Amino acid sequence: MSGDQYGGYQGYQGIAVPPMPTSPPPAPPDRLRSVAVGLLNLSGLGLGYALTRRWLLMAVCWVATVVLLLVALPADPDGVSGPLVVLYVVFLVFAAVHGALVGLRTRLAWPAPTALAIVLGLVLLAVPAGGVVLYDNARDEATQQMLLDRLEKADQLVADSGRLSFSAAEPHYRQALGVYDDLTTAHSGSRAADKVPDRLKTFYTTVAGAYSQKNYCDAIPQLKYLRTVPGTIGKKQLGTLTTWPDDRLATSLYECASASLATQSADWPTNFGDLLATFPQSSQAGQVEPAVKSAVTKAAQGVSGSEPCAAVERLQSLSTQIGSLQGEQAGVADALGADATRAGSQADAGAYQCGVSQYKSGDFDSALSTMNDFVKNNTHDKNRARAKKIAIAAEVAQTVPAAGKRLPTTASGGSISVTVKNDSPDDITVLYTGPVTGSFTLKACGSCTTYSLTTTLLSGFKPCSGGKNYPQKTISLPTGTTYFVHRPDSSTASPASDTAKLRSGYIYTECAYATGSFGTG
């Protein structure tokens, strides 16, 4: 060893240690492993990333799935919005493709054969598929519950409306009917639609509630409305309900009209007319004419009762009202026409009893009008002659009320001569009543004038004493009090009256003259 080398330092050269890898070294490409990772990521749980130790990416998959579940659950009929579903599907496809790329060169953390991972991936595909099926079922159930809720609300609306008047309830009935129609058409396979037929039965009985309570007049608009329901709900869904209102409406029309006819209300012809026009072949329509005939008979019987004028008015009204009815059944129109004619004839004949009643009650104006109409309308009636007498007496009693204390008879003539002269320039009608009643006319006195009131007040004033050829007529009257009225036919002067108490052995003269007001002497 040389001195140059002694004491020299030879440095130690260490061995270099490479750093520890942060992830497994790339593995040889493996397509089956790539498929396994991709399939495992399609489950939405990020299991492919878990087997390749990509924990953050796995967490992203979980977050995406949790967000979808929070939005989708609980299931409702509208489901998840389309854009969100598309976005989630795109995310799963991306995770599957990306996972496949990662798994192509990354060994699995789970030391199981790749084939087993593929099988597990295929099995886990049932998770999203099963989720879709379960969600669809939950959505269907939510839809069913929603439709059942709609049905229940419609049912409650019907029940609440049944406590209202029909006019107030009708809009609610239409609203409920619209729900029933929608359920049977747009959701025909739903549980709610299956319940609609039973609900419609309840609907019909509720709407026509007045009929079950025998409030027939109130039931008419309700039943007419129900006959329009087939225009909204199909006859297939309605079944026998299609014709359910018909017989009930016919009964209601008849019963309501009959009650109105009995109480003399004015609306019975409308209901009978609807019955005859709508259900001409029904048994109820066959009862219309007998009911009308009975009403005419009853009214005619009232003519001889305590209120003959009311009975006459009733008969006149019946004649007009019956004339407005028409029937389509054989013979109904003719029978109704005969009833109308009979009512009119009975009214004309009954006017006599009405006039007598008016006269006896002191209503001389009405008695005069009634008897004049009776005489004009009944040329062959047995009471026509007396009606003329009563009309004369009523006109006398208009001026001299005492003349109307006794109903005149058809008696005529007497033993006392009474001459009536006309000392006026007007034609006059002389009316008288008492033991006998009558009237006659006297022509005007051509040479006579109207006396001034001053002249009539002078002492010794005596009309019909000027030696003129006065128009005159002599009649024979019985003893007793006779009431005279001289009525000018052409002037506006008021009638004049005179009361004569006739006794045997005397000759009487009546003189009619004109002053500022018509007078007698």
Short mmCIF file of all heavy atoms in Angstrom, two decimals, residues 211 216 223 227 240-255 275 278-279 281-285 287:
data_model
loop_
_atom_site.label_atom_id
_atom_site.label_comp_id
_atom_site.label_asym_id
_atom_site.label_seq_id
_atom_site.Cartn_x
_atom_site.Cartn_y
_atom_site.Cartn_z
N TYR A 211 -139.22 14.44 -6.22
CA TYR A 211 -140.19 13.41 -6.65
C TYR A 211 -140.41 12.39 -5.54
O TYR A 211 -141.56 12.00 -5.28
CB TYR A 211 -139.67 12.72 -7.91
CG TYR A 211 -140.61 11.63 -8.39
CD1 TYR A 211 -141.70 11.94 -9.19
CD2 TYR A 211 -140.40 10.30 -8.04
CE1 TYR A 211 -142.58 10.95 -9.63
CE2 TYR A 211 -141.27 9.31 -8.47
CZ TYR A 211 -142.34 9.64 -9.27
OH TYR A 211 -143.21 8.65 -9.68
N TYR A 216 -144.44 17.20 -6.59
CA TYR A 216 -144.42 16.96 -8.02
C TYR A 216 -144.11 18.20 -8.85
O TYR A 216 -143.41 18.10 -9.87
CB TYR A 216 -145.75 16.35 -8.47
CG TYR A 216 -146.00 14.99 -7.84
CD1 TYR A 216 -147.02 14.81 -6.91
CD2 TYR A 216 -145.20 13.90 -8.17
CE1 TYR A 216 -147.24 13.57 -6.33
CE2 TYR A 216 -145.42 12.66 -7.59
CZ TYR A 216 -146.44 12.50 -6.67
OH TYR A 216 -146.65 11.28 -6.10
N LEU A 223 -136.52 16.62 -13.18
CA LEU A 223 -136.62 15.46 -14.07
C LEU A 223 -136.36 15.86 -15.52
O LEU A 223 -135.79 15.07 -16.29
CB LEU A 223 -137.99 14.81 -13.92
CG LEU A 223 -138.22 14.15 -12.55
CD1 LEU A 223 -139.69 13.86 -12.33
CD2 LEU A 223 -137.40 12.87 -12.43
N ARG A 227 -133.34 14.28 -18.04
CA ARG A 227 -133.53 13.76 -19.40
C ARG A 227 -132.48 14.29 -20.37
O ARG A 227 -132.34 13.77 -21.48
CB ARG A 227 -134.93 14.09 -19.91
CG ARG A 227 -136.05 13.42 -19.12
CD ARG A 227 -137.40 13.63 -19.78
NE ARG A 227 -137.58 12.71 -20.91
CZ ARG A 227 -138.03 13.08 -22.10
NH1 ARG A 227 -138.29 14.36 -22.35
NH2 ARG A 227 -138.20 12.18 -23.06
N THR A 240 -130.00 1.64 -17.76
CA THR A 240 -131.43 1.88 -17.57
C THR A 240 -131.74 3.29 -17.08
O THR A 240 -132.89 3.73 -17.13
CB THR A 240 -132.02 0.86 -16.57
OG1 THR A 240 -131.31 0.97 -15.33
CG2 THR A 240 -131.89 -0.55 -17.11
N LEU A 241 -130.71 4.01 -16.62
CA LEU A 241 -130.93 5.37 -16.17
C LEU A 241 -131.32 6.29 -17.32
O LEU A 241 -131.87 7.38 -17.10
CB LEU A 241 -129.68 5.93 -15.49
CG LEU A 241 -129.30 5.31 -14.13
CD1 LEU A 241 -127.98 5.90 -13.65
CD2 LEU A 241 -130.40 5.55 -13.11
N THR A 242 -131.04 5.87 -18.55
CA THR A 242 -131.38 6.69 -19.71
C THR A 242 -132.86 7.05 -19.73
O THR A 242 -133.25 8.18 -20.02
CB THR A 242 -131.00 5.96 -21.01
OG1 THR A 242 -129.59 5.66 -20.98
CG2 THR A 242 -131.29 6.82 -22.22
N THR A 243 -133.71 6.07 -19.42
CA THR A 243 -135.16 6.31 -19.42
C THR A 243 -135.74 6.45 -18.01
O THR A 243 -136.96 6.53 -17.86
CB THR A 243 -135.87 5.16 -20.15
OG1 THR A 243 -135.53 3.92 -19.50
CG2 THR A 243 -135.43 5.09 -21.61
N TRP A 244 -134.89 6.47 -17.02
CA TRP A 244 -135.34 6.54 -15.62
C TRP A 244 -136.25 7.72 -15.35
O TRP A 244 -137.25 7.58 -14.65
CB TRP A 244 -134.11 6.59 -14.71
CG TRP A 244 -134.37 6.51 -13.25
CD1 TRP A 244 -134.45 5.39 -12.47
CD2 TRP A 244 -134.56 7.61 -12.34
NE1 TRP A 244 -134.68 5.72 -11.16
CE2 TRP A 244 -134.76 7.08 -11.05
CE3 TRP A 244 -134.61 8.99 -12.51
CZ2 TRP A 244 -134.98 7.89 -9.94
CZ3 TRP A 244 -134.83 9.80 -11.40
CH2 TRP A 244 -135.01 9.24 -10.13
N PRO A 245 -135.98 8.93 -15.89
CA PRO A 245 -136.84 10.08 -15.54
C PRO A 245 -138.20 10.08 -16.24
O PRO A 245 -139.09 10.82 -15.81
CB PRO A 245 -136.01 11.29 -16.00
CG PRO A 245 -134.65 10.77 -16.31
CD PRO A 245 -134.83 9.34 -16.69
N ASP A 246 -138.37 9.31 -17.34
CA ASP A 246 -139.54 9.49 -18.20
C ASP A 246 -140.86 9.29 -17.47
O ASP A 246 -141.73 10.17 -17.45
CB ASP A 246 -139.44 8.56 -19.41
CG ASP A 246 -138.30 8.93 -20.34
OD1 ASP A 246 -137.68 9.99 -20.11
OD2 ASP A 246 -138.02 8.17 -21.27
N ASP A 247 -141.05 8.11 -16.88
CA ASP A 247 -142.32 7.84 -16.22
C ASP A 247 -142.52 8.77 -15.03
O ASP A 247 -143.64 9.22 -14.76
CB ASP A 247 -142.37 6.38 -15.76
CG ASP A 247 -143.71 6.02 -15.16
OD1 ASP A 247 -144.70 5.95 -15.93
OD2 ASP A 247 -143.79 5.81 -13.94
N ARG A 248 -141.43 9.08 -14.33
CA ARG A 248 -141.53 9.98 -13.19
C ARG A 248 -141.91 11.39 -13.63
O ARG A 248 -142.68 12.08 -12.95
CB ARG A 248 -140.21 9.99 -12.43
CG ARG A 248 -139.92 8.66 -11.72
CD ARG A 248 -138.48 8.58 -11.24
NE ARG A 248 -138.25 7.39 -10.43
CZ ARG A 248 -138.03 6.18 -10.94
NH1 ARG A 248 -138.01 6.01 -12.27
NH2 ARG A 248 -137.83 5.14 -10.14
N LEU A 249 -141.36 11.84 -14.77
CA LEU A 249 -141.72 13.16 -15.27
C LEU A 249 -143.18 13.19 -15.71
O LEU A 249 -143.90 14.17 -15.43
CB LEU A 249 -140.81 13.55 -16.44
CG LEU A 249 -141.12 14.89 -17.10
CD1 LEU A 249 -141.08 16.03 -16.08
CD2 LEU A 249 -140.13 15.17 -18.24
N ALA A 250 -143.63 12.13 -16.38
CA ALA A 250 -145.04 12.08 -16.79
C ALA A 250 -145.95 12.14 -15.57
O ALA A 250 -146.97 12.85 -15.57
CB ALA A 250 -145.29 10.80 -17.60
N THR A 251 -145.60 11.40 -14.53
CA THR A 251 -146.40 11.43 -13.30
C THR A 251 -146.38 12.81 -12.66
O THR A 251 -147.42 13.32 -12.22
CB THR A 251 -145.85 10.39 -12.30
OG1 THR A 251 -145.97 9.08 -12.87
CG2 THR A 251 -146.62 10.44 -10.99
N SER A 252 -145.21 13.44 -12.62
CA SER A 252 -145.11 14.76 -12.00
C SER A 252 -145.91 15.80 -12.77
O SER A 252 -146.58 16.66 -12.18
CB SER A 252 -143.63 15.18 -11.93
OG SER A 252 -142.90 14.31 -11.10
N LEU A 253 -145.83 15.75 -14.11
CA LEU A 253 -146.61 16.69 -14.92
C LEU A 253 -148.10 16.53 -14.66
O LEU A 253 -148.83 17.52 -14.51
CB LEU A 253 -146.30 16.47 -16.41
CG LEU A 253 -144.93 16.94 -16.89
CD1 LEU A 253 -144.66 16.43 -18.30
CD2 LEU A 253 -144.83 18.46 -16.85
N TYR A 254 -148.55 15.27 -14.58
CA TYR A 254 -149.97 15.04 -14.37
C TYR A 254 -150.39 15.48 -12.96
O TYR A 254 -151.40 16.18 -12.80
CB TYR A 254 -150.31 13.56 -14.56
CG TYR A 254 -151.75 13.26 -14.23
CD1 TYR A 254 -152.76 13.56 -15.13
CD2 TYR A 254 -152.10 12.73 -12.99
CE1 TYR A 254 -154.09 13.33 -14.82
CE2 TYR A 254 -153.43 12.49 -12.66
CZ TYR A 254 -154.41 12.79 -13.58
OH TYR A 254 -155.73 12.58 -13.26
N GLU A 255 -149.64 15.08 -11.96
CA GLU A 255 -150.03 15.38 -10.59
C GLU A 255 -149.98 16.89 -10.31
O GLU A 255 -150.86 17.43 -9.64
CB GLU A 255 -149.11 14.64 -9.61
CG GLU A 255 -149.24 13.12 -9.64
CD GLU A 255 -150.61 12.65 -9.15
OE1 GLU A 255 -151.31 13.44 -8.50
OE2 GLU A 255 -150.96 11.49 -9.43
N LEU A 275 -147.26 17.25 -21.02
CA LEU A 275 -147.51 15.82 -20.87
C LEU A 275 -148.06 15.22 -22.17
O LEU A 275 -147.59 14.18 -22.64
CB LEU A 275 -148.49 15.58 -19.72
CG LEU A 275 -148.97 14.14 -19.50
CD1 LEU A 275 -147.80 13.20 -19.27
CD2 LEU A 275 -149.94 14.08 -18.32
N THR A 278 -145.14 15.43 -24.86
CA THR A 278 -143.91 14.66 -24.61
C THR A 278 -144.17 13.17 -24.45
O THR A 278 -143.40 12.34 -24.93
CB THR A 278 -143.20 15.19 -23.35
OG1 THR A 278 -143.06 16.62 -23.44
CG2 THR A 278 -141.81 14.57 -23.21
N PHE A 279 -145.26 12.83 -23.77
CA PHE A 279 -145.57 11.42 -23.52
C PHE A 279 -147.01 11.12 -23.96
O PHE A 279 -147.87 10.78 -23.15
CB PHE A 279 -145.40 11.10 -22.03
CG PHE A 279 -144.06 11.50 -21.46
CD1 PHE A 279 -143.94 12.62 -20.66
CD2 PHE A 279 -142.93 10.76 -21.74
CE1 PHE A 279 -142.72 13.00 -20.13
CE2 PHE A 279 -141.69 11.13 -21.22
CZ PHE A 279 -141.58 12.24 -20.42
N GLN A 281 -148.45 8.75 -25.46
CA GLN A 281 -148.96 7.39 -25.33
C GLN A 281 -148.93 6.88 -23.90
O GLN A 281 -149.24 5.71 -23.65
CB GLN A 281 -148.16 6.43 -26.23
CG GLN A 281 -148.12 6.84 -27.69
CD GLN A 281 -149.50 6.96 -28.29
OE1 GLN A 281 -150.38 6.13 -28.01
NE2 GLN A 281 -149.72 7.97 -29.14
N SER A 282 -148.56 7.72 -22.96
CA SER A 282 -148.44 7.28 -21.58
C SER A 282 -149.82 7.15 -20.93
O SER A 282 -150.81 7.75 -21.38
CB SER A 282 -147.59 8.27 -20.77
OG SER A 282 -148.24 9.52 -20.69
N SER A 283 -149.86 6.36 -19.87
CA SER A 283 -151.11 6.22 -19.12
C SER A 283 -151.50 7.55 -18.48
O SER A 283 -152.69 7.86 -18.33
CB SER A 283 -150.97 5.13 -18.05
OG SER A 283 -149.93 5.47 -17.13
N GLN A 284 -150.49 8.34 -18.10
CA GLN A 284 -150.78 9.63 -17.49
C GLN A 284 -151.46 10.57 -18.48
O GLN A 284 -152.38 11.31 -18.11
CB GLN A 284 -149.49 10.29 -16.97
CG GLN A 284 -148.82 9.55 -15.82
CD GLN A 284 -147.84 8.48 -16.29
OE1 GLN A 284 -147.91 8.04 -17.43
NE2 GLN A 284 -146.93 8.08 -15.42
N ALA A 285 -151.03 10.52 -19.74
CA ALA A 285 -151.67 11.36 -20.76
C ALA A 285 -153.12 10.95 -20.96
O ALA A 285 -153.98 11.80 -21.23
CB ALA A 285 -150.90 11.26 -22.08
N GLN A 287 -155.13 10.18 -18.75
CA GLN A 287 -155.95 10.66 -17.64
C GLN A 287 -156.25 12.16 -17.73
O GLN A 287 -157.02 12.69 -16.93
CB GLN A 287 -155.23 10.38 -16.32
CG GLN A 287 -154.95 8.91 -16.06
CD GLN A 287 -154.16 8.72 -14.77
OE1 GLN A 287 -154.55 9.17 -13.71
NE2 GLN A 287 -153.02 8.06 -14.89
#
